Amino acid sequence: QVQVAESGGGFVQTGGSLSLSCSVSGLIFEDTIMGWFRQVPGKEREPVSCIDGYGRGINYADSVKGRFTIARDNAKNTLSLQMNSLKPEDKAMYHCAVFRSCGHEAIKSLTTIGSYWGQGTQVTVSS
């Protein structure tokens, strides 16, 4: 079965950086669009970034553009998210997930999140 496992969250001060990693198994990774979404209790999930199978198509939510960088290593079946210049509003549980699409408009829609995601890793940013 598909397994997704995130790591790398933690506590950081405003302006700091964190790097998240995700290990995926049970699917053909290089054929799969992947991404990250985040969720705060009581709020809807928010797609953050996505990347197509070979890393040629990448998109970011406007809220993180210029600060976050997504990458993948198809040889290791891993996905990463480098987060710089973190803000208190970035505080959330971050999930690595299979995405259905990765277009400029798709990243704005919850329907782009697919059927598999991990348990998440918590990111906390202090003001």
Side-chain angles (χ1 to χ4, degrees):
Q1 71 274 23
V2 178
Q3 293 186 323
V4 181
E6 305 91 342
S7 62
F11 180 92
V12 66
Q13 292 186 330
T14 297
S17 298
L18 282 174
S19 182
L20 307 184
S21 296
C22 170
S23 177
V24 182
S25 62
L27 49 73
I28 302 174
F29 190 68
E30 60 265 29
D31 288 347
T32 305
I33 299 170
M34 296 294 301
W36 294 89
F37 71 87
R38 63 189 181 186
Q39 190 164 24
V40 174
K43 293 189 176 182
E44 285 190 336
R45 296 178 295 177
E46 177 190 9
V48 170
S49 182
C50 57
I51 183 169
D52 70 11
Y54 289 95
R56 289 189 288 264
I58 292 174
N59 276 290
Y60 298 96
D62 288 342
S63 57
V64 306
K65 202 171 293 182
R67 301 187 297 120
F68 289 13
T69 302
I70 192 171
R72 66 190 297 157
D73 185 336
N74 286 346
K76 297 180 179 178
N77 281 21
T78 58
L79 183 73
S80 64
L81 186 69
Q82 177 65 40
M83 305 185 296
N84 298 329
S85 302
L86 282 161
K87 304 175 181 180
E89 52 263 44
D90 294 319
K91 177 183 177 180
M93 185 72 77
Y94 283 73
H95 299 266
C96 171
V98 172
F99 272 42
R100 293 191 173 92
S101 58
C102 190
H104 176 69
E105 291 301 315
I107 192 67
K108 301 176 184 178
S109 172
L110 291 176
T111 60
T112 197
I113 300 172
S115 302
Y116 302 102
W117 57 84
Q119 291 189 336
T121 185
Q122 179 67 40
V123 171
T124 301
V125 185
S126 68
S127 57

